[in-house]
Amino acid sequence: MSEAVTRTATTSPGLLASLDPLLREWLPRQRWFAGKGRPVTGFSLVAATELLPPTAKLGLYHLLVRAHQPLTVGAPTHPGDCYQLLIGLREALPPRLAPALIGHVEEGPLTGRTAYDALYDPLPAELLLEAIRSGNRIGGLSFERDPHQEIREGLVARVMTAEQSNSSIVYGDTFILKLLRRVVPGVNPDLELPLALAREGCPRVPAPTGWLQAELAGEPYTLAVLQPFVQGASDGWELALRELAKGEDFGAEAHALGRATAEVHTALARALPTVTLGHQQLHLLVDGMIERLEAAVQAVPALRPYAPGLRSAFTALGDLAAEGTTWTAQRIHGDLHLGQCLRSATGHWSLIDFEGEPSKPLSERRLPQPTARDIAGMLRSFDYAAHSTDLPVPGWAEACRAAYCSGYAEVSGVDPRTDPVLLRAYETDKAIYEVVYEARHRPDWLQVPMAAVARYASSDPI
């Protein structure tokens, strides 16, 4: 894709040259940086917008920059991912902003100034909310809002520090702004699907209050989404671990979460087109699962003894398709697990973060898929929680699994367990992904998905 650099008239053409040496050191240290393990050799500017007038004491730039990295260590440099940055410039940083330091500029037009991640600074963060509230357009940036939702002035901003693939700012416990860090052209599902669910009146997903977009080279980019903040909520992962630590049953919550998932799936099926997956489509789906298995065996040799049994989970699905079985596919969450669910103080469950797996292409994340993929993700999450406590509770994951599927069936009319071949295939595919992830990033956790792999290879999904 050809990219045109957009700037406001006051943006210095030497801006990136000044920041380049600092960003090469700072960017790979960020948790949301996707190219870890490969050196950053340079940057190209996709878009730059000056958010404050040049006469202001504080400099503030919104940047989209493409990091140049080799595809593998030692390979030629390749234009890689595009990242969204909010860069602040001060003469010196106050101590409270020390964690946001990017570095001291020593060359170019910004020499002598200190660059930092401005999301940590309440003033720039509050400027973003005010721009959404006012529906501003600044340079190539469009700040949009739902006119039916009120945004009060004067809400104090604070950055959340627990994010990984993105960054979030909370405004006065009223709103949360999710700023996408790695951006790609196209409408992001994290805006598209909550908007569709809001039109359907689905209460299980906070309706977007506002959003930030840009158009570059004729293509839309979703940059940020503002939604109501669920004050006092616990995410499902934290809640499950607390109950496990106390030896408490989680069945009622799992049942309620199953109902919530089914309500979201039902609303998405009403709001957006569904398709029928026949033999040809299932053949491609199964081939993809087998390819991921083969790659995982190469990456993690401990999988090799289980490979024939794991493959059978996929070929069994292909056999059903060859016999004429079809499945319905629709838009789904795409990366559902306990950490993507919030329980309010009143017991109401909400689903959040509809971005899908950020590592997958946007076109793939927006494809209709069987709801079994979401369900499998949640069932795997119960298994992870069960193995995350020092005092395991026998049968905990199995009880959660049954309660979740029962709750789902009460709303959808279909129990996921009545299609065991499809569910086993998706659970197996998810467990294989987990094995590779844990082997690379958290070897101490590898035994959790490996235990599941042993079960799935023996055709026992529990």
Side-chain angles (χ1 to χ4, degrees):
M1 180 190 72
S2 63
E3 292 172 306
V5 176
T6 62
R7 299 184 178 91
T8 58
T10 53
T11 299
S12 166
L15 175 66
L16 190 57
S18 284
L19 295 173
D20 183 308
L22 304 180
L23 293 179
R24 291 193 196 204
E25 296 295 324
W26 175 80
L27 194 63
R29 298 199 304 268
Q30 307 314 300
R31 283 186 292 180
W32 39 262
F33 181 68
K36 287 182 168 55
R38 295 177 286 130
V40 175
T41 58
F43 298 95
S44 55
L45 188 63
V46 177
T49 304
E50 192 167 16
L51 297 180
L52 289 174
T55 53
K57 185 175 294 188
L58 169 67
L60 186 60
Y61 294 91
H62 180 279
L63 301 182
L64 297 178
V65 296
R66 190 169 296 284
H68 292 252
Q69 296 182 271
L71 292 175
T72 57
V73 176
T77 294
H78 178 78
D81 294 312
C82 178
Y83 293 94
Q84 178 178 197
L85 309 176
L86 192 68
I87 305 293
L89 294 164
R90 289 174 176 260
E91 296 301 322
L93 281 192
R96 63 183 173 83
L97 292 177
L101 175 67
I102 295 175
H104 306 287
V105 183
E106 298 180 353
E107 57 186 76
L110 304 179
T111 297
R113 307 195 77 183
T114 300
Y116 67 102
D117 184 348
L119 289 184
Y120 286 79
D121 191 343
L123 177 62
E126 289 160 17
L127 184 149
L128 293 179
L129 182 64
E130 177 57 26
I132 292 174
R133 193 187 72 82
S134 303
N136 289 352
R137 182 177 180 88
I138 306 174
L141 302 176
S142 296
F143 295 85
E144 311 284 347
R145 63 168 294 184
D146 178 352
H148 303 294
Q149 296 191 53
E150 180 187 4
I151 302 176
R152 291 191 295 109
E153 296 183 69
L155 296 174
V156 177
R158 71 177 190 277
V159 70
M160 296 186 70
T161 57
E163 292 280 339
Q164 295 202 10
S165 58
N166 296 293
S167 297
S168 290
I169 305 167
V170 175
Y171 295 96
D173 292 333
T174 303
F175 297 107
I176 181 168
L177 179 72
K178 178 178 177 181
L179 192 92
L180 304 176
R181 286 298 196 170
R182 184 167 52 151
V183 297
V184 295
V187 178
N188 195 289
D190 212 13
L191 174 62
E192 176 193 16
L193 298 187
L195 281 176
L197 290 165
R199 290 193 296 268
E200 288 294 321
C202 179
R204 296 296 186 173
V205 177
T209 305
W211 50 94
L212 171 58
Q213 297 184 125
E215 186 170 310
L216 303 170
E219 296 189 83
Y221 282 67
T222 302
L223 302 177
V225 181
L226 181 73
Q227 292 176 290
F229 181 70
V230 185
Q231 189 174 4
S234 299
D235 78 43
W237 178 257
E238 295 172 349
L239 186 61
L241 293 188
R242 284 205 301 268
E243 297 304 297
L244 266 167
K246 296 186 293 185
E248 297 290 338
D249 176 63
F250 198 68
E253 298 296 351
H255 184 273
L257 192 48
R259 291 183 60 89
T261 306
E263 287 181 30
V264 170
H265 282 167
T266 302
L268 284 173
R270 289 196 309 264
L272 298 166
T274 62
V275 298
T276 299
L277 302 182
H279 184 209
Q280 183 176 359
Q281 293 87 351
L282 260 295
H283 179 72
L284 293 174
L285 188 149
V286 169
D287 281 352
M289 291 177 168
I290 292 174
E291 287 173 10
R292 288 190 289 275
L293 169 61
E294 292 172 348
V297 169
Q298 294 299 315
V300 187
L303 278 173
R304 193 174 303 279
Y306 303 105
L310 298 174
R311 179 186 289 265
S312 72
F314 306 139
T315 56
L317 182 59
D319 291 342
L320 277 183
E323 294 168 4
T325 304
T326 61
W327 287 268
T328 298
Q330 64 165 81
R331 297 299 298 277
I332 62 171
H333 183 281
D335 188 25
L336 191 61
H337 54 77
L338 283 165
Q340 307 282 42
C341 307
L342 295 179
R343 182 188 180 277
S344 73
T346 62
H348 179 82
W349 281 100
S350 301
L351 273 58
I352 60 172
D353 292 340
F354 281 74
E355 188 180 359
E357 293 183 16
S359 61
K360 294 187 179 297
L362 184 63
S363 57
E364 183 177 333
R365 286 184 265 152
R366 297 185 69 211
L367 287 175
Q369 300 177 70
T371 56
R373 182 180 172 190
D374 275 353
I375 294 163
M378 186 60 69
L379 300 184
R380 291 295 312 129
S381 196
F382 289 136
D383 189 51
Y384 256 76
H387 287 84
S388 300
T389 177
D390 294 331
L391 297 172
V393 178
W396 188 90
E398 293 80 0
C400 288
R401 177 191 188 94
Y404 179 81
C405 290
S406 295
Y408 189 94
E410 285 182 7
V411 172
S412 70
V414 178
D415 191 318
R417 293 168 292 185
T418 61
D419 198 348
V421 175
L422 182 65
L423 192 57
R424 179 191 171 209
Y426 272 110
E427 287 187 79
T428 302
D429 189 47
K430 182 69 172 179
I432 291 167
Y433 165 84
E434 293 163 354
V435 166
V436 175
Y437 180 89
E438 304 299 6
R440 288 176 177 168
H441 302 288
R442 300 189 301 182
D444 292 346
W445 284 70
L446 184 57
Q447 75 275 7
V448 177
M450 285 299 298
V453 156
R455 296 197 303 273
Y456 300 143
S458 66
S459 302
D460 180 5
I462 302 299

